[in-house]
Amino acid sequence: MNGLVLTSGLWGADKAVALSGYTAHGHIPSPIEPSFKAPARESSLTFGPLALAAAVARAATTRDDAPVAVLNALQQSTLPMLQTMIEDGPTFEISPNFQHLADTERTFLAARVGAGITDLYMNALGYTWRANAACLSSTLDPHADFIYEGGSAIGHGVVLAEAHGSFAANASAASVHLQSKNKYLRQVKPHLGKTSPYGKVIHGYSIAFGSRPSAPGAFLSLSETKINKPRMTLGGQTKSSKAGTSGAGAAPSQIILAAHRSNFFLMGGDDVVGWIDWVRNADSAPPEPSPVVFLRLHYAGRTYLVHASSVWWLDHPRDWFDDLFDHHRWRRLLPGLSPRGADRGQHLGWFGIEETAGTDFLQSLTGIVQSGGRFVPATLPVPSFVPVGFGLGGEDAGRSLAEADYGHALFRDGFALLGDPHRGHPLGITVWSPKDGVTSQ
């Protein structure tokens, strides 16, 4: 069921993976966009289990022309593997269970984890909005996996990111670095300077991740476009930035629609996905304009919107006030939702979106719907957040004292995975009417 993910089976400790290889590839002109400054790379990537789980899900559901049924199959087939194939502890290590997978399943898992690591790294660098890069060429031609916008690319264009993952007996720093270089030359470099539906391609990355199933440790390699100019700090911010709102601005509408299509799908908001698809193809018949209900949940110092499908035990979402403010019921139902694993304290995490990010987008979507889907502004106003649960450089990356003991991950676009929802406090509901906008109760 999208909107929910079993979180208690994941490993517990944050993992730090050092950057084991780096190459800057020359390009003419340099930089492609004169005023663009690439963010500085860091020596390591630190991430918690929920961050990787959410990133794998984000990466698997980025194909913005895929039907909901296909996205659901991709999500459901990937996330459970993380629980049994990655060992606990601060060092990344493949579980002995891996040896029981067929070769095709090993390749699939490695590719998905590699894509998740790439999404974490790009988000940590400051890039906020994502889309699939299939739009750059025909399906027969090689192309990078993802397009990103935001951070240091705001107002300049978009950047490419190619992802690679390898869980092989002969994986090494050298072999993983070779993959990052080869894939950069084959799938990134040919598209630099081209125009995409989301903007001009002004920079490119190839990120490769690998680990040997028989040994602890992992390899992380980065290839990117060389720029003969000083670099910015991470995402245009200082390293000392604490978790919070990093700023508000505007981003291209099309890439916001693509990113939130994936986000709201993962939240269980197929009804919102339907309206996004209609806006992008207004010649089709519009969906039914039924109200869409979200729970407002205060969690780790923020308020998040959680789609009604996550609160699966309630038949009538509008009766949430009576049910959710009965805290005995709230606490009793959330832990141990899996009967088979109730004695192990298993529970389901919820995908959600930070309230400001969610309501701003839904209000903008209403404006487009009110125009009959005929007018999509070039940009939409959006907030941006400092990530929680992952970051570049250091054991405390992506953490703050107020949030350290909460299990969750927050991405720059406001999308989040809340790993322990029973710790949250329900505040009420938000109702989105596709034609009338957002109201909170």
Side-chain angles (χ1 to χ4, degrees), residues 22 70 152 158-159 175 192 225 233 253 281 322 334 359 363 431:
Y22 175 78
V70 174
S152 58
V158 297
V159 302
S175 68
L192 296 176
T225 311
T233 55
S253 299
N281 182 22
D322 293 336
L334 279 176
T359 55
Q363 289 284 38
V431 180

Side-chain angles (χ1 to χ4, degrees), residues 224-441:
E224 69 168 314
T225 311
K226 184 177 181 179
I227 291 185
N228 300 320
K229 272 190 142 186
R231 291 178 175 271
M232 296 181 69
T233 55
L234 297 182
Q237 304 170 56
T238 64
K239 294 183 185 179
S240 61
S241 295
K242 297 298 182 182
T245 304
S246 63
S253 299
Q254 292 301 328
I255 201 165
I256 292 175
L257 289 168
H260 276 324
R261 185 181 195 267
S262 167
N263 290 343
F264 278 90
F265 162 76
L266 290 171
M267 290 169 58
D270 295 354
D271 33 22
V272 178
V273 172
W275 282 101
I276 293 173
D277 288 345
W278 179 76
V279 160
R280 300 170 77 192
N281 182 22
D283 291 335
S284 61
E288 284 294 322
S290 303
V292 182
V293 182
F294 299 88
L295 167 68
R296 298 177 62 237
L297 184 69
H298 192 72
Y299 188 91
R302 304 177 195 272
T303 302
Y304 292 92
L305 299 183
V306 178
H307 189 266
S309 62
S310 292
V311 192
W312 53 267
W313 67 84
L314 298 177
D315 294 327
H316 303 288
R318 289 185 181 278
D319 294 335
W320 276 357
F321 280 118
D322 293 336
D323 286 299
L324 293 184
F325 284 98
D326 178 354
H327 286 280
H328 293 294
R329 177 176 170 84
W330 174 255
R331 304 291 177 184
R332 185 175 70 252
L333 286 173
L334 279 176
L337 292 181
S338 172
R340 184 177 61 180
D343 58 334
R344 295 165 54 194
Q346 290 190 354
H347 55 264
L348 295 172
W350 292 353
F351 288 114
I353 190 166
E354 193 278 337
E355 183 177 38
T356 303
T359 55
D360 284 0
F361 172 72
L362 292 172
Q363 289 284 38
S364 295
L365 189 57
T366 290
I368 300 172
V369 170
Q370 289 174 341
S371 74
R374 305 295 179 179
F375 176 70
V376 180
T379 62
L380 295 177
V382 287
S384 179
F385 303 87
V386 175
V388 174
F390 64 98
L392 295 177
E395 295 180 355
D396 294 328
R399 301 291 181 187
S400 71
L401 291 177
E403 299 170 316
D405 62 344
Y406 279 83
H408 71 302
L410 172 67
F411 292 78
R412 290 190 183 273
D413 59 5
F415 179 73
L417 175 53
L418 312 178
D420 197 8
H422 78 278
R423 299 191 62 184
H425 178 73
L427 300 178
I429 62 173
T430 286
V431 180
W432 176 59
S433 167
K435 294 188 175 180
D436 299 322
V438 176
T439 58
S440 296
Q441 302 175 13

Side-chain angles (χ1 to χ4, degrees), residues 178-267:
L178 182 62
Q179 286 289 349
S180 76
K181 292 192 294 184
N182 287 345
K183 287 186 171 291
Y184 177 92
L185 294 173
R186 178 175 169 79
Q187 295 173 238
V188 176
K189 185 176 177 63
H191 303 287
L192 296 176
K194 288 187 176 181
T195 300
S196 79
Y198 311 108
K200 181 180 179 181
V201 178
I202 59 170
H203 197 68
Y205 298 86
S206 175
I207 298 171
F209 179 79
S211 182
R212 288 195 298 270
S214 59
F219 312 101
L220 178 65
S221 185
L222 172 67
S223 291
E224 69 168 314
T225 311
K226 184 177 181 179
I227 291 185
N228 300 320
K229 272 190 142 186
R231 291 178 175 271
M232 296 181 69
T233 55
L234 297 182
Q237 304 170 56
T238 64
K239 294 183 185 179
S240 61
S241 295
K242 297 298 182 182
T245 304
S246 63
S253 299
Q254 292 301 328
I255 201 165
I256 292 175
L257 289 168
H260 276 324
R261 185 181 195 267
S262 167
N263 290 343
F264 278 90
F265 162 76
L266 290 171
M267 290 169 58

